[in-house]
Amino acid sequence: MLFSTIFRSPFSPPSSRILSVHSRHFDSLSRMSSSLVLTPISLNKAALNAPDALRSSNSVSFAGFKHGIRGFNPKSSDKSRVFMSVSVGSQTAVDDALFLDYKPTSAFLFPGQGAQAVGMGVEAQQVPAAAELYKKANDILGFDLLDVCVNGPKEKLDSTVLSQPAIYVTSLAAVEVLRARDGGQQIIDSVDVTCGLSLGEYTALAFAGAFSFEDGLKLVKLRGQAMQEAADAAKSAMVSVIGLDSEKVQLLCDAANEEVEEADKVQIANFLCPGNYAVSGGVKGVESLEAKAKSFKARMTVRLAVAGAFHTSFMNPAVSRLEAALAATDILTPRMPVISNVDAQPHADPDTIKKILARQVTSPVQWETTVKTLLTKGLKRSYELGPGKVIAGIVKRMDRGAEIENIGA
């Protein structure tokens, strides 16, 4: 049986990393199938000294060093919270609602596919810790990622298979670029919530210590390959509809769907922000929507340069591959809230996170709700880390007074 206690201590090491303590006992009970979850409790000073007694009995790991990206210090509203789980065999239960009452003040936001641009990664080479991420990526990917990022060509970089790992690595390199500048570590230490647009959710989870840089890159590599193969299996596309609210876009989809077969029907795949929604579906359905858009008073439609109908059932063939890869990946409870694209909520339970990541490729992206919730909950400042300025544009569109800074690499 594996007893796991994770402490969030106000006087942890400088980066206030999560301290994970494991102790294996009771071999005779190892075949039990039940799990026990102790809900979060507040610790007094004596309780916070408990790790010192436990440390000698078994392994201790600080997530910040174990996971390749150096440690981060979320300014949690409840730093002395502890949550415990008891697992039997490989099954561990964690209170998935741990972060539901989060109160954001400073956020890191990570871009998704489409943000890539030839020339990204150049600035990162001036920062050793950032440049090292590209070297690690080369070993995992089997090719020179930096060369593709810096030199293209654009058609190569835009491919789903290459753009996803390129954005993931460049976004985490941007964290190291920020860390290296005056006051950068203080900004990183102030972050208490993170999220990312589609692919960017993987980047956010890596930043939050849910998995290592290397494991995250392996997942992103497979995700890109699986999505590309699913797109190749059927003729599909994505298009942005500009100038309509979500209800009218849905009516436009309904009208387009009346004229096409079931296999070509379209749906809203990405709720970006008011007046900007991405629709995915069969090519004939997308063409029908484009033809009808003006009659619904849309300002314009823009066909997206992606492989296919992401975030719809067209991506079903990718799900099983993702599920298998996620099942084999060591995922921990994030050290801060990471907002899911699927339901715009933070999740703490690693098994739930795995299920949601597998569902993400076939589920509409709830980015509008995510940003609206962050702003409503009192977010003071945010940072877009990685290539492009799409996220900053969305945040500003939703709140012109919002403070957001772009950190490139």
Side-chain angles (χ1 to χ4, degrees):
M1 180 178 284
L2 171 66
F3 287 83
S4 176
T5 306
I6 302 179
F7 292 88
R8 206 179 284 274
S9 168
F11 45 86
S12 293
S15 61
S16 292
R17 303 175 184 93
I18 292 176
L19 177 64
S20 179
V21 183
H22 301 286
S23 181
R24 295 183 181 276
H25 296 299
F26 308 111
D27 291 339
S28 62
L29 299 178
S30 64
R31 289 185 291 275
M32 290 176 61
S33 60
S34 61
S35 295
L36 171 67
V37 181
L38 281 72
T39 55
I41 60 175
S42 295
L43 294 178
N44 56 28
K45 188 172 181 180
L48 285 166
N49 288 329
D52 294 328
L54 293 171
R55 189 176 295 125
S56 62
S57 65
N58 245 300
S59 63
V60 178
S61 61
F62 291 101
F65 288 106
K66 177 182 177 183
H67 292 287
I69 302 295
R70 286 177 288 170
F72 306 98
N73 176 16
K75 300 294 185 183
S76 171
S77 60
D78 186 4
K79 294 179 186 176
S80 62
R81 174 173 276 188
V82 59
F83 61 92
M84 300 176 66
S85 65
V86 178
S87 69
V88 182
S90 61
Q91 296 182 350
T92 304
V94 174
D95 181 7
D96 191 54
L98 180 69
F99 298 125
L100 279 184
D101 61 349
Y102 74 101
K103 296 175 176 60
T105 59
S106 180
F108 271 7
L109 312 177
F110 295 99
Q113 189 173 345
Q116 70 276 0
V118 174
M120 66 185 193
V122 172
E123 184 179 356
Q125 302 316 299
Q126 306 305 311
V127 178
E132 181 64 23
L133 295 181
Y134 288 91
K135 294 177 182 177
K136 289 182 178 180
N138 293 346
D139 294 336
I140 294 169
L141 299 173
F143 62 87
D144 190 339
L145 178 66
L146 180 62
D147 180 64
V148 177
C149 289
V150 173
N151 301 311
K154 183 179 184 300
E155 295 74 18
K156 186 176 183 180
L157 181 59
D158 284 349
S159 71
T160 299
V161 173
L162 294 182
S163 63
Q164 293 198 20
I167 293 167
Y168 171 85
V169 174
T170 301
S171 297
L172 289 173
V175 176
E176 298 304 329
V177 170
L178 172 61
R179 193 195 306 278
R181 83 181 194 188
D182 289 344
Q185 185 62 55
Q186 287 72 24
I187 291 174
I188 293 170
D189 290 346
S190 74
V191 174
D192 50 20
V193 65
T194 183
C195 52
L197 183 58
S198 189
L199 159 72
E201 187 171 342
Y202 286 77
T203 320
L205 285 163
F207 169 75
F211 44 67
S212 68
F213 167 80
E214 293 85 353
D215 283 347
L217 181 55
K218 291 173 185 176
L219 288 172
V220 167
K221 176 186 177 182
L222 181 139
R223 181 180 187 266
Q225 293 171 339
M227 292 174 72
Q228 181 68 59
E229 291 175 9
D232 291 342
K235 293 182 179 180
S236 62
M238 290 187 74
V239 60
S240 283
V241 180
I242 310 298
L244 297 179
D245 62 31
S246 59
E247 292 182 0
K248 289 182 179 177
V249 175
Q250 184 58 57
L251 292 174
L252 176 56
C253 289
D254 293 341
N257 287 338
E258 290 178 359
E259 299 187 358
V260 298
E261 300 293 329
E262 185 68 29
D264 279 311
K265 289 188 175 182
V266 296
Q267 69 177 70
I268 301 176
N270 199 329
F271 292 82
L272 279 171
C273 63
N276 189 347
Y277 302 95
V279 172
S280 287
V283 170
K284 291 182 179 179
V286 169
E287 290 172 346
S288 175
L289 180 143
E290 290 170 331
K292 294 177 178 294
K294 287 294 183 182
S295 66
F296 278 77
K297 309 300 183 183
R299 182 148 48 95
M300 69 175 74
T301 59
V302 180
R303 188 74 71 94
L304 301 180
V306 295
F310 297 163
H311 300 291
T312 70
S313 60
F314 280 85
M315 292 293 109
N316 276 336
V319 173
S320 60
R321 290 185 62 189
L322 273 171
E323 286 175 336
L326 287 162
T329 301
D330 181 22
I331 294 184
L332 305 177
T333 297
R335 67 173 64 84
M336 69 179 70
V338 179
I339 313 304
S340 164
N341 282 259
V342 172
D343 59 8
Q345 296 287 343
H347 296 275
D349 176 43
D351 287 340
T352 301
I353 291 171
K354 291 180 180 185
K355 291 174 183 176
I356 283 181
L357 287 177
R359 286 174 50 203
Q360 191 217 62
V361 292
T362 58
S363 302
V365 173
Q366 302 295 334
W367 190 252
E368 180 180 358
T369 301
T370 295
V371 175
K372 187 181 299 182
T373 300
L374 288 172
L375 294 172
T376 301
K377 279 179 168 283
L379 182 68
K380 304 299 182 185
R381 186 169 180 80
S382 53
Y383 301 83
E384 178 178 10
L385 295 104
K389 298 182 179 181
V390 172
I391 290 177
I394 291 172
V395 173
K396 283 290 189 180
R397 185 178 181 88
M398 297 182 69
D399 182 357
R400 292 188 178 183
E403 292 188 39
I404 183 165
E405 181 180 352
N406 296 94
I407 309 293

